[in-house]
């Protein structure tokens, strides 16, 4: 038996549209089921109350264009705040672990935010990770994303950080949004092998996913030595989910959680509102609390209903072998990449915001440093459906940057202010100093984000 914190936030006042799959009923059916079954009456399952995240919490992770209030609602502050409440409860040892059952979700939200993509505006897990590192001086954290959609936002935020192990298993991006998450996506030059993707064929079942947990994820977590393990708990791998084509069961999710033993779980996707989510969420809570979930029953499912074919298991085993090799070789990969790309690594990409129909052209430059994993410069131009553009420049200093990189990054910020004609806003995100600045190029005013 373990003491488990649970927090609910259905966000009654936030919806993309009244009939959209991402709506408040996702949590209401779960809440009814859990209270009916008496789970919340158990002495080791403790309900916590939501609170608001702050602008500083959000600015630690995001460059919101033009500002945070323009791309969020109060519901986003509360949803992110729920994960911080759970983090405080776990890190202060009030409980052994905790589950934030809140919406809106966040794992498709990237460093730069021009609007909503994949139902996400701000990234709850990333905000929580940086909060934990700043408040509790925790360095090495693992994020295991179990959503059926690749956690491309979380991947992008952590892509250049070797102290964050990001693992995502998901339905193959060639068959599902967002079309990313392939095994070649291993991290930036200073963090190669710290991003691990496992793209799965449609119709993968409990057997395949649990094989990956046992033979890849758990050995990686042990080798990495994570001080905190976070489950980005998407539940749309379920066989009834209307937005995907996988074959996971509620019992499978409970067993996954039992084996993974996350310190913190944060709800992401899952859109089978009546037939899956109440049972999956109950299974996760029971597993985290150390309760017997062997009698968990869900409609239209019986054990052995789905089996992996020999060819499917062979594919999974090859994936596991390939990604274990990449993870095990990360020191050699980083050494070679730093030599190759020094002093600056550059990459450009086009990002599409499917919900708000925004396209973004983005150029990244990452400093290659021998003493830390370098700072990051982001030139982003958002093209909105109204016909206008929003161009920003962001300077990101990681929390464990060396003093030389911190000083260089500050000079870049000041230099861009003096040459700001092409931009609308210029931002400084200095996680090392916990200082966040926004410069409005049209008014010439600089604001500290608090």
């Amino acid at each position: 038996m373990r003491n488990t914190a649970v927090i609910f936030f259905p966000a009654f006042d936030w919806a993309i549209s009244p009939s959209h799959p991402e709506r408040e009923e996702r949590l209401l059916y779960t809440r009814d089921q859990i209270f009916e079954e008496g789970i919340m009456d158990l002495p080791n399952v403790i309900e916590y109350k939501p609170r608001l995240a702050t602008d500083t919490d959000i600015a630690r992770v995001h460059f919101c264009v033009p500002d945070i209030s323009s791309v969020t609602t109060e519901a986003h502050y509360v949803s992110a705040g729920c994960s911080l409440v759970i983090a405080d409860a776990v890190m202060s040892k009030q409980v052994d672990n905790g589950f934030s059952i809140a919406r809106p979700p966040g794992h498709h939200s990237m460093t730069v935010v021009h609007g909503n993509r994949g139902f996400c505006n701000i990234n709850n897990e990333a905000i929580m990770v940086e909060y934990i590192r700043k408040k509790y001086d925790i360095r090495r954290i693992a994020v295991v994303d179990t959503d059926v959609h690749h956690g491309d936002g979380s991947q992008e935020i952590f892509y250049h950080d070797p102290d964050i192990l990001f693992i995502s298993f998901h339905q193959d991006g060639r068959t599902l949004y967002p079309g990313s998450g392939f095994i070649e996506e291993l991290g930036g030059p200073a963090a190669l092998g710290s991003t691990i993707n496992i793209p799965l064929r449609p119709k993968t079942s409990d057997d395949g996913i649990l094989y990956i947990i046992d033979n890849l994820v758990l050995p990686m977590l042990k080798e990495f030595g994570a001080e905190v393990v976070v489950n980005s708990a998407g539940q749309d791998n379920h066989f009834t989910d209307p937005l995907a084509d996988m074959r996971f069961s509620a019992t499978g999710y409970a067993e996954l959680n039992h084996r993974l033993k996350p310190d913190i779980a944060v709800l992401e996707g899952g859109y089978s509102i009546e037939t899956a989510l109440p049972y999956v969420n109950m299974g996760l809570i029971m597993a985290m609390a150390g309760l017997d979930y062997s009698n968990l029953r869900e409609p239209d499912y019986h054990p052995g209903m789905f089996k992996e074919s020999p060819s499917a298991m062979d594919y999974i085993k090859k994936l596991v072998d390939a990604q274990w090799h990449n993870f095990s070789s990360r020191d050699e990969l980083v050494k070679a990449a730093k030599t190759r790309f020094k002093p600056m690594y550059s990459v450009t990409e086009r990002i599409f915001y499917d919900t708000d129909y925004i396209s973004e052209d983005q150029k990244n430059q990452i400093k290659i440093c021998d003493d830390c994993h370098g700072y990051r410069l982001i030139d982003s131009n958002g093209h909105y459906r109204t016909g206008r553009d929003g161009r920003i420049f962001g300077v990101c200093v990681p929390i464990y940057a060396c003093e030389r990189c911190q000083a260089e990054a500050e000079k870049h910020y000041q230099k861009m202010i003096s040459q700001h004609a092409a931009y609308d806003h210029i931002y400084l995100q200095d996680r090392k100093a916990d200082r966040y600045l926004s410069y409005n190029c049209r008014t010439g005013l600089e604001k500290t984000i608090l």
Side-chain angles (χ1 to χ4, degrees), residues 171-203:
Q171 187 174 320
D172 194 314
R174 293 171 296 181
T175 66
L176 194 68
Y177 177 89
S180 57
F182 302 106
I183 63 171
E184 298 83 6
E185 299 165 31
L186 289 169
L192 281 165
S194 297
T195 293
I196 299 293
N197 286 298
I198 306 107
L200 299 172
R201 291 176 177 175
K203 298 181 171 53

Side-chain angles (χ1 to χ4, degrees), residues 306-333:
F306 304 113
K307 291 287 186 182
E308 293 295 338
S309 68
S311 64
M313 280 305 299
D314 184 58
Y315 170 77
I316 288 169
K317 289 176 181 178
K318 288 178 179 177
L319 269 181
V320 166
D321 290 344
Q323 290 296 57
W324 179 255
H325 172 75
N326 287 328
F327 175 75
S328 302
S329 305
R330 61 192 185 280
D331 290 342
E332 294 87 346
L333 292 171

Side-chain angles (χ1 to χ4, degrees), residues 160 295 362:
H160 302 282
N295 290 320
Q362 189 179 115

